[in-house]
Amino acid sequence: MARNLISVIDDDESVRRTTALLIESFGLRAVAFESAEGFLKSGQLHDTACLIVDVQMPGMNGLQLQSHLAAEGCGIPIIFITAYDDRESRGRAMRAGAVAFLSKPFGDEQLLQTIRSALRGEFGEAKNLISIIDDDEAVRRTTIRLIESFGFRAAAFESAETFLSSDHLNDASCLIVDVRMPGMNGLQLQSQLAATGTRIPIIFITAYDDKASRQRAMQAGAAAFLGKPFTDEELLRWIRSALRQEESGTGTT
């Protein structure tokens, strides 16, 4: 991996220093710039395998740099990092093909996995739609932000019934489903999908982890059964596992 050059662009000197050191600890080469303009004027543009870019910077900001590179036909994968995560900026970045949109502070392992995905050309992950079904609005909001930060598209529903009647039923690559919900619960949704021959990998999440529900879910082919709270890295690992399961057409027992 040492031949890969990762360029870090951030106006905060401490962020540049710590991020470059972290990247080098992964066995990658890193170079840091305090501005988008400095990066564009450097001799590193064509050597860079992946960009880590702050969103808000003096002069040309991260989104403007993304647009500039696209206009020049430069397809360097971009990982955005920001202390000011707003949905509009995240949506604009991801629609334009960003690998991920990470909120500071982010975990070392999360950054490493995102960089590796970018270097392997897996940023086509953005085509994958992850549907979240949970009656708790706060859980829906935080989970959708997290999933989009990984580089996936996300849609959220407050009930199983709403999801089933939506246009996303046939587009979803993976479901993240609460076990206990008013009306149709998560296990009933799993049974309903199986009865109609709909094979979407399901990751169950629950604040009430009981052995009977876990066993029933896993025996019916669930990809995972996660007790709340779970870590960002744990969810990302299971999403990627579920997507591999969907691509191969195999089930999980």
Side-chain angles (χ1 to χ4, degrees):
M1 295 176 74
R3 69 183 182 278
N4 292 308
L5 178 65
I6 313 300
S7 290
V8 181
I9 308 172
D10 198 302
D11 61 304
D12 187 321
E13 193 275 334
S14 65
V15 171
R16 292 198 304 274
R17 183 179 65 254
T18 56
T19 306
L21 287 171
L22 177 61
I23 290 167
E24 289 172 346
S25 75
F26 297 152
L28 300 163
R29 293 186 299 132
V31 61
F33 303 89
E34 66 179 6
S35 69
E37 293 87 349
F39 168 71
L40 291 172
K41 291 176 183 176
S42 75
Q44 306 290 354
L45 175 60
H46 299 293
D47 295 329
T48 297
C50 178
L51 281 174
I52 297 176
V53 183
D54 192 17
V55 177
Q56 296 191 8
M57 297 183 289
M60 181 183 290
N61 66 34
L63 296 173
Q64 291 169 333
L65 173 61
Q66 183 185 37
S67 297
H68 176 82
L69 292 174
E72 296 294 319
C74 183
I76 303 173
I78 299 176
I79 298 168
F80 283 103
I81 57 175
T82 183
Y84 307 96
D85 186 356
D86 68 275
R87 188 172 181 83
E88 182 180 350
S89 296
R90 187 176 349 106
R92 178 180 165 188
M94 300 309 297
R95 285 193 299 271
V99 175
F101 198 96
L102 306 181
S103 296
K104 302 174 184 176
F106 41 80
D108 296 358
E109 184 63 25
Q110 184 181 6
L111 180 62
L112 174 58
Q113 290 187 10
T114 306
I115 290 173
R116 284 177 170 166
S117 292
L119 296 178
R120 289 194 298 260
E122 292 178 359
F123 47 96
E125 285 180 342
K127 70 181 183 296
N128 290 305
L129 176 66
I130 314 300
S131 290
I132 303 135
I133 307 168
D134 197 303
D135 62 303
D136 187 322
E137 194 275 333
V139 171
R140 293 197 304 273
R141 184 176 63 250
T142 56
T143 307
I144 201 170
R145 287 165 67 95
L146 177 62
I147 289 169
E148 287 178 343
S149 79
F150 294 152
F152 300 102
R153 293 185 299 129
F157 304 89
E158 64 181 4
S159 69
E161 292 87 347
T162 304
F163 169 70
L164 289 172
S165 62
S166 76
D167 295 332
H168 291 293
L169 175 60
N170 297 319
D171 296 331
S173 302
C174 176
L175 298 181
I176 296 176
V177 183
D178 193 16
V179 176
R180 294 191 181 185
M181 296 183 290
M184 182 183 291
N185 65 35
L187 296 173
Q188 290 169 334
L189 173 61
Q190 182 185 38
S191 297
Q192 170 75 12
L193 292 174
T196 58
T198 305
R199 293 178 57 83
I200 307 173
I202 299 176
I203 298 170
F204 282 103
I205 57 175
T206 183
Y208 307 95
D209 187 354
D210 68 274
K211 187 174 181 179
S213 295
R214 173 183 290 272
Q215 186 174 26
R216 177 179 166 187
M218 300 308 294
Q219 286 177 343
F225 196 99
L226 306 181
K228 301 175 185 177
F230 42 81
T231 66
D232 297 356
E233 290 79 9
E234 187 178 8
L235 181 60
L236 175 58
R237 184 172 68 251
W238 282 113
I239 288 174
R240 288 184 169 154
S241 174
L243 293 176
R244 287 193 296 269
Q245 169 190 332
E246 188 207 25
E247 289 171 1
S248 66
T250 61
T252 302
T253 58

